[in-house]
Amino acid sequence: DPGFLAATAYQSRFHRPKLPRLSVSPQGLKVERGLWHCFQVGGIPAFAADTRTERSSRTLGTWRNASIMGEEQMKAIEAWLTEHPKGPKLLCSGSVFALPENRFVAQPATCIAADNWLGYPASWRRLVRFIVKNEIEGLIFVAGDYHLSALVELELSSQGKSVKALNLVCSAWNASLPFAIAQPSDFLFDQPVYAPGSDADAAMVCTARFASDAQRQFSKVTVTRDAENRGTAAVAMDVYGPGNVLAKGLRAQLPSGG
């Protein structure tokens, strides 16, 4: 993939030897470690996940157990969450974590065609179980890919316990390719939707609010800790269209535990 090789070269300029790792064989290049790492933005812990280069291949017989990332990366995310169990934090993922398309909600078995976490149920279910078991609070997923913008309030549950989280879906600056753009009608907004594959062991209830499907847009996200230390964080998602005109502002309160 020329794009991945270009990203590799870019990363090497900044002397980050752990990012990424490739091996060469007669069969070609193999990704040993993708483009993922933890960092901070505005004092808030963040993790940039790679849900592209480490994916397992899927077939009709294997897709339910396939992984969206390698085991090393998943364990790194779990360790990062353990290190930051409370307080707001950002888990950035190029693939959307939780904004189910109507077609997959209606027919969960077709999630093999989903180009996001829902197409890898073993991965999202493992992460949900971990988050709930360890009572991880203040988690904000940030994703793009759909080329539209929305704020999704999540209730993650497992074995009778639950945790709140958010998924901010932020469009790319340029979304002018019709074949790559999701339509608002592809989703159900303003009412709770169970993610396909949810059950008592691992479940996600997603309540999405639509922001914009403009071909030119960007999102400004502001996370504010509660000054009175009541264990919540205020999340503001402001979406701007052409001419830097505010198209819509969405707000949410997220339990953060600190």
Side-chain angles (χ1 to χ4, degrees):
D1 184 339
F4 178 68
L5 293 178
T8 300
Y10 176 82
Q11 292 286 346
S12 68
R13 291 184 59 195
F14 293 90
H15 308 291
R16 302 167 87 167
K18 294 183 179 180
L19 291 177
R21 196 163 63 228
L22 304 178
S23 62
V24 182
S25 70
Q27 289 72 41
L29 293 170
K30 179 182 178 182
V31 178
E32 300 291 348
R33 187 182 191 278
L35 293 161
W36 51 268
H37 64 289
C38 55
F39 62 103
Q40 284 202 356
V41 55
I44 294 177
F47 193 105
D50 179 355
T51 55
R52 293 292 183 186
T53 66
E54 297 181 353
R55 291 182 175 192
S56 303
S57 59
R58 294 179 292 175
T59 67
L60 284 173
T62 66
W63 72 276
R64 287 182 174 83
N65 295 314
S67 300
I68 199 169
M69 61 181 59
E71 181 67 13
E72 182 184 0
Q73 182 182 176
M74 181 63 84
K75 286 183 176 179
I77 291 175
E78 292 172 345
W80 173 76
L81 290 171
T82 301
E83 184 180 355
H84 306 285
K86 308 300 178 185
K89 55 196 146 288
L90 307 174
L91 179 49
C92 307
S93 166
S95 303
V96 176
F97 185 71
L99 178 53
E101 294 179 60
N102 293 333
R103 57 178 174 149
F104 298 134
V105 174
Q107 295 183 305
T110 63
C111 280
I112 186 177
D115 187 25
N116 53 48
W117 284 79
L118 293 180
Y120 297 82
S123 294
W124 76 254
R125 290 171 60 84
R126 171 176 170 174
L127 190 55
V128 165
R129 288 194 299 267
F130 183 88
I131 291 168
V132 175
K133 179 181 178 180
N134 293 279
E135 300 179 347
I136 306 296
E137 295 184 295
L139 182 57
I140 304 168
F141 293 90
V142 182
D145 199 35
Y146 283 166
H147 300 278
L148 56 74
S149 296
L151 184 152
V152 190
E153 298 183 68
L154 303 176
E155 182 177 2
L156 311 178
S157 61
S158 176
Q159 302 298 329
K161 298 170 59 179
S162 65
V163 171
K164 302 288 186 182
L166 293 177
N167 191 174
L168 307 182
V169 181
C170 304
S171 174
W173 286 45
N174 177 45
S176 57
L177 301 175
F179 68 88
I181 301 175
Q183 301 299 315
S185 58
D186 294 337
F187 308 93
L188 195 62
F189 292 104
D190 302 314
Q191 54 185 294
V193 176
Y194 272 94
S198 293
D199 57 24
D201 185 51
M204 294 193 289
V205 178
C206 316
T207 305
R209 286 180 274 160
F210 176 71
S212 174
D213 61 350
Q215 291 187 358
R216 301 285 191 277
Q217 60 171 293
F218 69 92
S219 298
K220 176 185 176 183
V221 177
T222 305
V223 181
T224 306
R225 294 182 176 90
D226 182 7
E228 298 182 9
N229 197 28
R230 290 173 295 191
T232 61
V235 180
M237 179 180 176
D238 294 316
V239 182
Y240 293 83
N244 295 338
V245 176
L246 180 64
K248 193 162 188 178
L250 299 174
R251 303 291 184 266
Q253 291 288 327
L254 178 64
S256 61

